[in-house]
Amino acid sequence: MISPNEEKPNALILIGGRSSRMGEDKSDLIYHGKPQYQYLYEIASSITDQVFLSCNAEQAKLLKEYPLIVDKISFSGPMHAIKEAFEFMNCNWLIIPCDMPLINQEELNRLIQADSQNDVVCFKDENEIINPLLALYKKSCRDKLLTYKGDSPKEFLNDVATHSIPSHKLTNVNTIQERNEFLKSRVH
């Protein structure tokens, strides 16, 4: 839990991936009446200190009206994006992927308000599988994060104190087929 005298976290919305399996930019997909990056930016803005889009150089040209952390090395993966956020500002970071359409303000608040003294608070699904990309990374993990040599956020969580809480909102949509199935399930 973020203590009362501790600042709200910043939010980092991960949109800089290739979206190669989807065939179009996943952050531009519309699930809530607007592109996913805009939806996530709006809900995160109401509960965090500042919100940044983690994007590649091409996206940065189109998103000049948003606070950005542009990948120094395009398409280097989410671990690199999280490291860049901590290099940019030493604070608690709420990490939010763009490919999870069920994310809402309530779920983000649950991460921020989780009663935990751990370095990272993340969600786990009904099979106890943790999701390291929808998580609150606290300042206490910064040094280990910046010296971590790997590129797997899930493996990094083995190196720090991690607390996971259950969620049923972890649906991940990465392909056209997954998107079609998700949209079909929302109609019924």
Side-chain angles (χ1 to χ4, degrees):
M1 174 180 273
I2 304 296
S3 64
N5 60 350
E6 195 172 9
E7 74 274 4
K8 291 180 181 179
N10 283 348
L12 183 69
I13 301 170
L14 303 173
I15 70 167
R18 285 190 174 97
S19 299
S20 57
R21 291 180 286 165
M22 182 62 71
E24 62 184 292
D25 190 336
K26 291 184 286 186
S27 69
D28 283 334
L29 297 177
I30 297 174
Y31 300 108
H32 305 279
K34 58 189 74 173
Q36 184 70 349
Y37 75 89
Q38 286 179 355
Y39 166 75
L40 294 171
Y41 186 89
E42 289 172 11
I43 64 172
S45 293
S46 66
I47 59 173
T48 61
D49 234 12
Q50 298 178 71
V51 181
F52 296 87
L53 300 178
S54 171
C55 64
N56 61 53
E58 289 301 310
Q59 291 168 317
K61 294 174 188 175
L62 304 172
L63 299 168
K64 293 179 181 172
E65 69 274 16
Y66 289 91
L68 305 174
I69 298 178
V70 182
D71 295 337
K72 292 175 189 163
I73 304 168
S74 286
F75 310 117
S76 53
M79 191 77 222
H80 186 74
I82 297 167
K83 286 181 178 184
E84 286 188 1
F86 273 98
E87 288 172 351
F88 178 74
M89 191 179 301
N90 185 17
C91 62
N92 296 326
W93 284 96
L94 180 63
I95 308 301
I96 308 169
C98 70
D99 56 3
M100 298 178 79
L102 295 177
I103 294 172
N104 58 32
Q105 186 175 339
E106 180 183 332
E107 289 298 281
L108 297 180
N109 267 323
R110 289 181 60 218
L111 283 173
I112 294 170
Q113 297 170 358
D115 188 15
S116 173
Q117 299 302 312
N118 292 295
D119 299 317
V120 177
V121 179
C122 62
F123 285 120
K124 61 184 173 184
D125 67 15
E126 59 277 353
N127 297 315
E128 301 288 315
I129 297 172
I130 61 170
N131 187 309
L133 296 182
L134 179 54
L136 177 65
Y137 284 68
K138 297 183 184 177
K139 292 190 279 194
S140 57
C141 75
R142 181 181 191 268
D143 291 341
K144 285 185 180 179
L145 180 73
L146 294 179
T147 58
Y148 178 67
K149 300 293 185 210
D151 61 2
S152 169
K154 189 176 261 187
E155 287 179 17
F156 171 73
L157 295 187
N158 295 326
D159 294 344
V160 295
T162 302
H163 175 66
S164 59
I165 54 179
S167 175
H168 298 291
K169 306 271 186 194
L170 301 179
T171 299
N172 194 275
V173 178
N174 284 305
T175 67
I176 295 169
Q177 180 180 350
E178 289 172 349
R179 179 182 182 204
N180 291 341
E181 288 171 9
F182 175 78
L183 293 173
K184 186 177 177 184
S185 73
R186 303 295 287 175
V187 173
H188 296 103

